[in-house]
Amino acid sequence: MARWLVKSEPAKYAFADLQRDGTTVWDGVRNNAAALHLKAMKVGDEVLYYHSQEGLAVVGIARVTREAFPDATDPAGRFVAVELAPVRPLKQPVTLQAMKANPALADLAMIRQSRLSVSPVRDGEWAAILQMAGD
DNA sequence: GCCAACGTTGGC
DNA sequence: GCCAACGTTGGC
């Protein structure tokens, strides 16, 4: 099972919104590298949910409930979307600052390429982040 | 609000 | 097909 990290601006769609909605279509990704990651997602894959712009922290865990399908919001039909459902919030948010300070996360894709909105998380990185969250 | 990173567009 | 200009994202 693969693991991922997605970013969302909480003012637009926060983890609490996902909890309220039960599932959401993760569309609007218009970046090829991010789209490749979306296409690689499988049902059951786990996803860290990161708040960008405000909060600047991983706040919860979500799960892939539907694999890549055409993004209805893309008129050109080139990009894909997936469907996500909430799993649980982290006990404590893990801030970007804390992640940057952890040598175990030096290679984390979202740190190395900060603008990537969907990125892979390795097993060791996943474990490190959950440990920091007290989970 | 600024700026760095980086992807995309368009002229040549 | 190159590359400069431009737009967007996201941290600070």
Side-chain angles (χ1 to χ4, degrees), chain A residues 19-39:
Chain A
Q19 290 181 292
R20 181 200 60 212
D21 292 345
T23 62
T24 196
V25 173
W26 206 257
D27 57 15
V29 172
R30 294 291 182 270
N31 170 285
N32 277 315
L36 282 176
H37 297 315
L38 284 183
K39 287 177 187 169

Side-chain angles (χ1 to χ4, degrees), chain A residues 50-71:
Chain A
Y50 175 82
H51 280 170
S52 62
Q53 312 283 13
E54 291 171 50
L56 305 187
V58 177
V59 296
I61 299 172
R63 192 166 44 82
V64 177
T65 50
R66 188 179 165 198
E67 291 169 19
F69 55 92
D71 181 344

